[in-house]
């Protein structure tokens, strides 16, 4: 236990130092200094760790919350930068590989599709999908539409009109996926009846960064999504909780969903994935059962892919080099 505590203390100290360095940067726009610090941060956070970030003290919790906000801002600037870069091509979709982390989106979307297919009763063949928090580089929607759901219409929602304008430019030359992709500037809290028209709703990791805000978003979705519709929530686990908010499955249960599966990848897919299904069975699986929410009928399966951290750390280094090369080319 002492060794474990020392490991956690050393990690928190390292992350605290990186947070301080990132917070001092004059800008979080892509540049070698920004890239180097965030690469160090990701490299520190992705390996398996005994840390439970929800149990950290108040000072460390405040640092973590500030770090997640910085990560969110930096991610937005990075995506906007590469969205503009891609828009300069005649057909942007032919050049998505210039984004250093595109393969991560491919792997994450594949994982989400496979989890949906395996754990949603009867499988999935959605006519309409909503992606909440799609941003200026809607890679997740694109990969799902192009590789896994060829007949599905995707409605992408983001608070930022500029992000949606950037995203829509990427599909201007594509008559297949582009015809099935639309972008809407809206707050999820303002979406009501339209939510009932979707077979699957994806909730991006950075929509509702504080736990209480995330819980409100999920409860809103639960109040308006159709019974039987699937919800895919991106979360984080272990030290990856310094990068993204952690979603408690109990909050999903309290929001009106039955949690079907929880997956904590241990490879270059940083986000955890929670698969749930909207249910009206409030009483049997509600708060009265003492579990704090509706879970699957039995134990919620926690799926962990095989560990390959040596490959992943090498991949992070490679992506850092790709990022630098792409900057020079641009």
């Amino acid at each position: 236990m002492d060794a474990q505590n020392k490991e956690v203390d050393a990690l928190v100290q390292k992350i605290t130092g990186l947070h301080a360095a990132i917070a001092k940067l004059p800008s979080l726009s892509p540049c070698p200094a920004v890239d180097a610090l965030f690469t160090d941060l990701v490299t520190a956070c992705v390996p398996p760790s005994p840390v439970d970030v929800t149990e950290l003290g108040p000072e460390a919790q405040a640092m973590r919350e500030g770090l997640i906000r910085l990560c969110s801002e930096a991610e937005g600037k990075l995506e906007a930068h590469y969205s503009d870069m891609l828009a300069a091509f005649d057909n942007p979709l032919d050049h998505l590989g210039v984004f250093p982390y595109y393969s991560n989106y491919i792997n994450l979307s594949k994982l989400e599709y496979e989890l949906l297919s395996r754990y949603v009763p009867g499988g999935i063949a959605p006519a309409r999908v909503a992606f909440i928090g799609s941003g200026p580089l809607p890679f997740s929607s694109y990969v799902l539409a192009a590789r896994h759901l060829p007949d599905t219409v995707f409605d992408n929602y983001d608070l930022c009109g500029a992000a949606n304008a950037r995203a829509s430019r990427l599909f201007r030359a594509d008559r297949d996926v582009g015809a099935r992709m639309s972008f809407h500037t809206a707050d999820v809290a303002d979406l009501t009846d339209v939510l009932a028209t979707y077979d699957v709703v994806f909730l991006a990791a950075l929509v509702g960064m504080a736990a209480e805000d995330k819980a409100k978003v999920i409860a809103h979705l639960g109040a308006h999504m159709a019974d039987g519709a699937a919800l895919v929530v991106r979360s984080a686990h272990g030290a990856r909780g310094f990068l993204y908010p952690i979603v408690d499955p109990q909050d999903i249960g309290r929001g009106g969903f039955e949690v079907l599966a929880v997956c904590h990848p241990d490879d270059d897919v940083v986000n955890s994935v929670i698969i749930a299904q909207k249910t009206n069975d409030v009483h049997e699986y509600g708060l009265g059962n003492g579990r704090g929410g509706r879970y699957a009928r039995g134990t919620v399966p926690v799926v962990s892919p095989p560990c390959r951290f040596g490959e992943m750390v090498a991949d992070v280094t490679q992506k850092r080099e790709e990022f630098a090369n792409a900057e020079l080319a641009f």
Side-chain angles (χ1 to χ4, degrees):
M1 182 62 69
D2 288 341
Q4 191 175 87
N5 290 338
K6 288 181 180 178
E7 181 182 349
V8 169
D9 290 344
L11 176 64
V12 172
Q13 184 176 358
K14 181 177 181 62
I15 300 299
T16 300
L18 287 169
H19 168 257
I22 292 170
K24 291 177 182 177
L25 290 168
S27 170
L28 294 179
S29 295
C31 69
V34 171
D35 176 45
L37 282 171
F38 278 100
T39 298
D40 289 346
L41 177 63
V42 172
T43 303
C45 291
V46 289
S49 169
V51 67
D52 181 351
V53 298
T54 65
E55 297 297 325
L56 296 174
E59 185 176 347
Q61 284 289 2
M63 178 276 293
R64 172 180 169 257
E65 292 170 3
L67 182 58
I68 290 175
R69 286 192 292 270
L70 290 170
C71 288
S72 175
E73 182 182 349
E75 185 172 309
K77 291 181 180 296
L78 179 70
E79 291 190 359
H81 174 78
Y82 274 92
S83 187
D84 290 342
M85 182 188 296
L86 286 165
F89 293 103
D90 291 336
N91 189 343
L93 299 183
D94 290 340
H95 303 275
L96 300 183
V98 303
F99 186 66
Y101 307 103
Y102 179 54
S103 62
N104 294 31
Y105 287 90
I106 293 175
N107 294 333
L108 175 56
S109 297
K110 180 175 183 290
L111 173 63
E112 290 171 330
Y113 173 75
E114 291 175 346
L115 290 171
L116 282 167
S117 299
R118 180 174 180 180
Y119 290 104
V120 174
I124 60 163
R128 297 188 70 193
V129 165
F131 197 100
I132 311 297
S134 49
L137 276 184
F139 284 154
S140 295
S141 291
Y142 171 72
V143 172
L144 287 164
R147 298 187 176 214
H148 305 294
L149 299 171
D151 300 315
T152 303
V153 172
F154 284 75
D155 286 344
N156 299 277
Y157 293 92
D158 200 279
L159 277 172
C160 178
N164 286 324
R166 283 187 164 100
S168 63
R169 289 185 302 173
L170 303 181
F171 296 90
R172 65 179 185 273
D174 189 274
R175 296 183 179 180
D176 174 22
V177 176
R180 296 185 284 122
M181 200 76 59
S182 62
F183 299 90
H184 312 274
T185 302
D187 188 327
V188 63
D190 296 327
L191 304 178
T192 53
D193 294 346
V194 69
L195 291 173
T197 67
Y198 298 114
D199 303 296
V200 183
V201 174
F202 287 80
L203 184 62
L206 293 172
V207 176
M209 286 187 284
E212 57 272 21
D213 294 333
K214 183 81 72 174
K216 288 179 182 178
V217 170
I218 292 169
H220 179 78
L221 294 173
H224 297 285
M225 285 172 60
D227 190 35
L231 176 66
V232 181
V233 179
R234 293 179 179 177
S235 180
H237 182 68
R240 300 173 185 212
F242 286 108
L243 305 173
Y244 291 101
I246 291 178
V247 181
D248 187 343
Q250 291 190 16
D251 286 336
I252 298 177
R254 280 189 284 263
F257 296 90
E258 181 182 352
V259 178
L260 304 176
V262 178
C263 179
H264 301 308
D266 55 11
D267 55 10
D268 57 338
V269 175
V270 177
N271 289 117
S272 296
V273 178
I274 303 173
I275 304 295
Q277 188 173 38
K278 170 68 184 300
T279 175
N280 284 331
D281 198 355
V282 175
H283 299 292
E284 182 178 357
Y285 296 103
L287 293 172
N289 63 18
R291 289 178 290 174
R294 287 172 290 283
Y295 281 80
R297 293 170 178 82
T299 303
V300 176
V302 178
V303 184
S304 296
C307 179
R308 57 181 186 88
F309 275 103
E311 297 176 21
M312 182 188 60
V313 172
D315 189 51
V316 168
T317 302
Q318 178 183 351
K319 291 182 187 303
R320 179 174 177 175
E321 294 174 355
E322 291 173 356
F323 183 95
N325 292 337
E327 287 291 303
L328 292 172
F330 185 60

